[in-house]
Amino acid sequence: AQKVTQAQTEISVVEKEDVTLDCVYETRDTTYYLFWYKQPPSGELVFLIRRNSFDEQNEISGRYSWNFQKSTSSFNFTITASQVVDSAVYFCALGPTDSNYQLIWGAGTKLIIKP
Amino acid sequence: SQTIHQWPATLVQPVGSPLSLECTVEGTSNPNLYWYRQAAGRGLQLLFYSVGIGQISSEVPQNLSASRPQDRQFILSSKKLLLSDSGFYLCAWGTENTEAFFGQGTRLTVV
């Protein structure tokens, strides 16, 4: 079975702190993709990153960075020097894979950045 | 470039009334199309997906149906809405090798 777990339901930090959102996935397929999306209060899902299973190189984009570790089946997302505008719900997703072209979604982590 | 349009943005409908939400994609051919629902404060639930015209797969049995009359058009319907159908509905498109892009969503309130 394929599954994505975001164990942190809600995280609250003060602005300028660093914060890491955890994502653990399960799949038996060797080819798959992992995603992070941001959902601000407006509701629209904003694509942040896609990573394929053969590329374990970590990625940095401005204040955002992602740590992909196949050994622990994790794809964690870190925001450095958080800002109030980062407040949103963040979703991790798995797919498509060798056997399934749907996206399997985590439950989301609500991130609250306090000024 | 590819774009996805979803409308309306908000909708208030009485119980028992019909529903039709439309989603269209531009700039790509033969996309996979998806309808999701998100209940307040919760994660995403896949309702339907389609890999081609007339091909619809349902993930959750419910009061809703979907149709794909054209390659880049995906419609979510109901003959009689229930209170439990309230939620935020998102249309998305993707292919085997590209990420799923989402529409702006429709906030449906059944009263």
Side-chain angles (χ1 to χ4, degrees):
Chain A
Q2 300 181 329
K3 185 179 178 182
V4 175
T5 301
Q6 293 180 256
Q8 306 149 307
T9 304
E10 183 173 307
I11 300 174
S12 181
V13 301
V14 177
E15 197 173 21
K16 298 184 181 177
E17 288 185 12
D18 299 346
V19 58
T20 296
L21 309 181
D22 298 332
C23 174
V24 175
Y25 63 93
E26 296 177 25
T27 180
R28 293 183 179 179
D29 292 327
T30 56
T31 303
Y32 53 89
Y33 292 86
L34 294 163
F35 298 81
W36 275 97
Y37 286 87
K38 174 182 179 179
Q39 188 176 40
S42 63
E44 185 175 0
L45 276 165
V46 179
F47 166 79
L48 295 178
I49 189 172
R50 179 186 68 154
R51 172 68 70 221
N52 74 56
S53 54
F54 299 105
D55 181 3
E56 288 192 72
Q57 186 173 12
N58 292 329
E59 181 159 337
I60 298 175
S61 176
R63 296 183 297 105
Y64 295 171
S65 62
W66 290 269
N67 183 2
F68 177 30
Q69 292 194 341
K70 290 178 73 172
S71 60
T72 56
S73 296
S74 64
F75 187 41
N76 296 337
F77 172 34
T78 298
I79 301 175
T80 303
S82 60
Q83 300 176 1
V84 173
V85 293
D86 295 327
S87 297
V89 179
Y90 291 85
F91 290 95
C92 179
L94 165 70
T97 70
D98 290 331
S99 60
N100 181 13
Y101 48 74
Q102 301 172 40
L103 286 178
I104 308 298
W105 293 84
T109 296
K110 184 176 183 179
L111 178 62
I112 301 170
I113 309 297
K114 299 178 181 179
Chain B
S1 64
Q2 301 92 350
T3 56
I4 180 168
H5 303 281
Q6 183 182 343
W7 67 91
T10 60
L11 191 59
V12 180
Q13 291 283 96
V15 169
S17 64
L19 172 73
S20 180
L21 302 181
E22 188 163 345
C23 173
T24 60
V25 180
E26 297 176 358
T28 187
S29 297
N30 197 32
N32 293 335
L33 296 173
Y34 308 82
W35 277 111
Y36 287 90
R37 178 169 60 198
Q38 186 178 33
R42 303 189 66 178
L44 291 158
Q45 178 187 39
L46 179 63
L47 301 177
F48 302 95
Y49 68 94
S50 171
V51 299
I53 296 175
Q55 299 179 57
I56 308 294
S57 296
S58 175
E59 289 298 300
V60 182
Q62 56 205 315
N63 185 41
L64 302 169
S65 62
S67 62
R68 185 171 177 173
Q70 300 180 42
D71 181 43
R72 290 169 291 177
Q73 183 185 30
F74 205 24
I75 298 172
L76 182 69
S77 303
S78 173
K79 292 182 179 179
K80 289 184 179 182
L81 284 169
L82 306 172
L83 287 174
S84 57
D85 291 324
S86 293
F88 189 58
Y89 290 83
L90 287 156
C91 178
W93 76 271
T95 68
E96 288 185 3
N97 297 313
T98 66
E99 51 271 23
F101 293 98
F102 287 81
Q104 293 183 320
T106 297
R107 200 166 300 278
L108 172 66
T109 304
V110 183
V111 296

